[in-house]
């Protein structure tokens, strides 16, 4: 569907795998993430038990799956949250695929514009669903397909059978098409024969919500990061400095919500918590989050962490802003 570039294993330091037999890769740390079942609890439980840390994810990592494609998709969705990026994955020959390039290519796919009546639910599947708009995983996406995926309220993904690589590629492509700014919108993972939603509740969904799984895994990584900051204290750091660092590490999305800001669903941008500085109170959202920092195009010269954002928005001194952030976080 989209062209990929490949790299060899020797460029990686960590291999995350699912399957019955761990691969043997010289000089590469291998971590087993095989879940007992395709559920949020099982996937997150395996991630916790694996010993994988936030420090591991700063290495060059790839994902190798030799298992049921649904399990592979669920684990990869969790890794999107735990790593905060697209991880390279192995194709059918075991050769790593450049996931970031696949994401960029999918984001550039042309659509036919926003439909007058966007579909409530779309199913992406190898097999036609009798009651839902179905987009085939075996044919190239048309501009109408891209529009349907991009603007549908919900998307349901049926993992292509017998191919973990194709299933993960489908997930990356759908996430890229549906993204709003820097915000992912992942599909629901379904078996394929689930009924269409009832008329009285057209947004009802079935299956595993991969977006919920991704967010839970991101929260898990934040917990690891805070533990690392607590256990590995740099020499000479005072108690005050550690408090300020902890406040800076609070997820900036959490700080925005606590400041009363909201996120625009269409653009993925955030409304500024300093509306008095905007001509129209920031009616059109103007803040973008990138790599854990945020910048308002009107108010900020550079991207801010949570501590600096709260200091400016509430006009507090550093210690006051840290106390506010950490007391609310607790």
């Amino acid at each position: 569907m989209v062209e990929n570039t490949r790299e060899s294993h020797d460029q990686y330091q960590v291999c995350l795998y699912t399957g019955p037999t761990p691969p043997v890769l010289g000089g590469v740390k291998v971590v087993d993430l095989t879940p007992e079942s395709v559920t949020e609890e099982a996937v997150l439980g395996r991630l916790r038990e694996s010993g994988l840390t936030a420090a591991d994810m700063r290495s060059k990592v790839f994902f190798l799956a030799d298992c049921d494609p649904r399990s592979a998709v669920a684990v990869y969705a969790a890794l999107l949250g735990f790593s905060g990026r697209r991880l390279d994955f192995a194709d059918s020959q075991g050769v790593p695929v450049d996931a970031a390039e696949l994401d960029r290519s999918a984001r550039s796919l042309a659509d036919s514009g926003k439909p007058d009546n966007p579909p409530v639910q779309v199913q992406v599947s190898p097999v036609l669903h009798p009651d839902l708009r179905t987009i085939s995983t075996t044919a190239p996406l048309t501009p109408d397909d891209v529009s349907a995926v991009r603007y549908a309220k919900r998307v349901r993904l049926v993992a292509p059978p017998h191919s973990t690589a194709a299933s993960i590629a489908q997930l990356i492509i759908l996430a890229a098409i549906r993204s709003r700014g820097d915000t992912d919108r992942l599909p629901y993972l379904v078996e394929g024969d689930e009924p269409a939603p009832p008329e009285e509740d057209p947004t009802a969904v079935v299956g595993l919500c991969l977006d919920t799984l991704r967010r839970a895994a991101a929260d898990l990584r934040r917990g690891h990061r805070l533990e690392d900051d607590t256990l590995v204290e740099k020499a000479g750091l005072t108690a005050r400095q550690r408090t300020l660092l902890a406040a800076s590490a609070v997820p900036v999305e959490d700080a925005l919500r606590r400041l009363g800001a909201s996120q625009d669903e269409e653009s993925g941008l955030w409304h500024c918590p300093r509306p008095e500085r905007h001509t129209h109170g920031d009616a059109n959202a103007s803040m973008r989050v990138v790599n854990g920092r945020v910048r308002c195009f009107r108010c900020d010269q550079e991207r801010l962490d949570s501590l600096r954002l709260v200091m400016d928005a509430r006009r507090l001194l550093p210690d006051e802003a840290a106390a506010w952030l950490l007391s609310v976080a607790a």
Side-chain angles (χ1 to χ4, degrees), residues 185-321:
R185 294 194 303 156
L186 302 187
Y188 286 75
L189 182 63
V190 299
E191 297 278 4
D193 56 358
E194 293 86 351
E199 291 186 5
E200 62 270 18
D201 187 10
T203 60
V205 293
V206 294
L208 178 62
C209 179
L210 298 180
D211 236 353
T212 300
L213 178 58
R214 174 187 60 82
R215 288 193 295 268
D219 289 340
L220 181 62
R221 186 190 181 190
R222 291 186 189 110
H224 277 301
R225 190 183 304 158
L226 290 174
E227 288 174 8
D228 290 345
D229 289 343
T230 301
L231 294 173
V232 185
E233 297 182 356
K234 295 182 180 179
L237 225 55
T238 66
R240 176 177 180 270
Q241 289 171 326
R242 288 194 293 273
T243 298
L244 295 177
L245 285 173
S248 298
V250 170
V252 74
E253 295 89 349
D254 290 351
L256 284 163
R257 292 188 188 95
R258 293 165 188 165
L259 288 167
S262 61
Q263 188 177 26
D264 181 78
E265 184 176 342
E266 286 294 319
S267 67
L269 299 177
W270 288 80
H271 291 281
C272 182
R274 300 156 290 186
E276 69 280 358
R277 302 183 191 175
H278 294 255
T279 304
H280 301 291
D282 198 28
N284 296 317
S286 61
M287 301 191 80
R288 184 182 298 279
V289 175
V290 177
N291 295 328
R293 292 176 177 250
V294 68
R295 179 191 174 196
C296 171
F297 301 133
R298 169 67 179 82
C299 302
D300 305 314
Q301 295 297 316
E302 59 184 356
R303 300 196 182 279
L304 309 179
D305 59 23
S306 294
L307 180 63
R308 292 178 62 196
L309 174 65
V310 170
M311 287 171 57
D312 189 52
R314 294 179 63 90
R315 299 182 179 180
L316 298 175
L317 295 172
D319 298 291
E320 295 171 333

Side-chain angles (χ1 to χ4, degrees), residues 52-66:
L52 193 66
T53 69
D56 289 323
M57 304 314 294
R58 290 193 285 270
S59 306
K60 191 164 176 59
V61 183
F62 80 101
F63 180 59
L64 176 62
D66 180 20

Side-chain angles (χ1 to χ4, degrees), residues 12-16 28-31 52 56 59-62:
Y12 298 88
Q13 290 83 48
V14 178
C15 169
L16 311 177
V28 177
K29 178 179 179 178
V30 177
V31 180
L52 193 66
D56 289 323
S59 306
K60 191 164 176 59
V61 183
F62 80 101

